[in-house]
Amino acid sequence: QKEVEQNSGPLSVPEGAIASLNCTYSDRGSQSFFWYRQYSGKSPELIMSIYSNGDKEDGRFTAQLNKASQYVSLLIRDSQPSDSATYLCAALLSGGYNKLIFGAGTRLAVHP
Amino acid sequence: DGGITQSPKYLFRKEGQNVTLSCEQNLNHDAMYWYRQDPGQGLRLIYYSQIVNDFQKGDIAEGYSVSREKKESFPLTVTSAQKNPTAFYLCASSIYPGAGTEAFFGQGTRLTVV
């Protein structure tokens, strides 16, 4: 079982719609989760971090965490073509060495 | 400007050569990470370091080596033992290696074997 799993997509949504990206993780002790956006050929940039159960909102982005289900999601409201990118979910694994592990990423395509 | 600087941006390696990728940060971060990304794939952890003079293997450490002699520097050497080194290499750092900290990336080095 992979430590962090994402649907590779592509996820295609029309402009103005809500894009929903999902991620599951295997380490029940993980406490810190992150969403990064990566444009083609570029390095990942941090969008959201979430550490507690529930929702965390920042502008058009909402991260959701459910530790009981070991599930993290990212909602993008009013999707724009500029949101078209690969979204990477990451988890900081528990234990003494704090490994930061990434999922394979979900490609999002927002079409006008 | 504070940030993470990777150099070179592009690197070409001949078969059997060792090459070293540079990663420098002036953010006073304790933790540093090296990842490899293949086309259409996610990031795979090569090595990470929580503090100066200490580092741990990640999931794909074979054929790679690192050092952490200074807090601001975490160079990655791709040795001739790495049979398929062509990839995009990303360095990241976070203020400390624990829960609740965010990691930020450099611009990456694209390595090609010729």
Side-chain angles (χ1 to χ4, degrees):
Chain A
Q1 180 185 9
K2 291 184 180 178
E3 291 162 317
V4 179
E5 295 206 58
Q6 297 179 254
N7 187 324
S8 62
L11 173 66
S12 182
V13 300
E15 185 174 355
I18 296 175
S20 178
L21 303 158
N22 304 313
C23 171
T24 59
Y25 60 94
S26 61
D27 178 16
R28 189 167 287 278
S30 291
Q31 298 293 319
S32 304
F33 305 90
F34 309 92
W35 284 100
Y36 288 81
R37 176 176 63 199
Q38 186 178 28
Y39 292 112
S40 181
K42 302 296 185 183
S43 62
E45 56 179 320
L46 181 69
I47 299 175
M48 295 281 288
S49 57
I50 187 164
Y51 311 123
S52 304
N53 275 333
D55 295 358
K56 179 182 178 182
E57 186 174 318
D58 184 0
R60 294 187 296 112
F61 299 98
T62 298
Q64 299 174 317
L65 174 61
N66 183 327
K67 291 183 180 179
S69 301
Q70 296 176 243
Y71 178 89
V72 191
S73 66
L74 179 70
L75 301 178
I76 306 174
R77 290 182 298 281
D78 187 23
S79 295
Q80 301 297 308
S82 59
D83 294 325
S84 299
T86 296
Y87 289 81
L88 299 164
C89 174
L92 190 66
L93 301 188
S94 60
Y97 287 105
N98 297 301
K99 291 171 66 174
L100 181 62
I101 299 298
F102 285 77
T106 299
R107 272 194 303 130
L108 172 65
V110 181
H111 53 86
Chain B
D1 281 338
I4 304 164
T5 302
Q6 290 188 242
S7 62
K9 188 173 181 180
Y10 299 97
L11 185 58
F12 297 91
R13 190 194 97 166
K14 293 182 180 179
E15 296 277 356
Q17 264 187 344
N18 291 355
V19 291
T20 297
L21 283 59
S22 171
C23 179
E24 303 275 335
Q25 52 94 2
N26 60 5
L27 301 169
N28 201 34
H29 284 181
D30 281 326
M32 298 187 74
Y33 305 84
W34 272 107
Y35 294 91
R36 168 180 172 142
Q37 187 174 38
D38 293 284
Q41 304 295 313
L43 277 61
R44 291 186 291 167
L45 183 64
I46 305 173
Y47 269 97
Y48 61 111
S49 169
Q50 300 188 97
I51 199 169
V52 175
N53 293 322
D54 182 63
F55 50 82
Q56 292 81 40
K57 293 182 179 180
D59 299 321
I60 56 163
E62 185 173 351
Y64 300 98
S65 66
V66 294
S67 63
R68 187 83 189 276
E69 297 176 0
K70 298 186 294 183
K71 187 175 185 177
E72 59 269 26
S73 179
F74 191 40
L76 174 73
T77 297
V78 184
T79 75
S80 56
Q82 171 50 240
K83 298 307 178 188
N84 185 22
T86 294
F88 189 36
Y89 289 86
L90 289 156
C91 177
S93 71
S94 62
I95 190 162
Y96 60 84
T101 61
E102 299 168 338
F104 301 93
F105 284 86
Q107 295 306 300
T109 292
R110 203 165 294 276
L111 174 63
T112 303
V113 174
V114 296

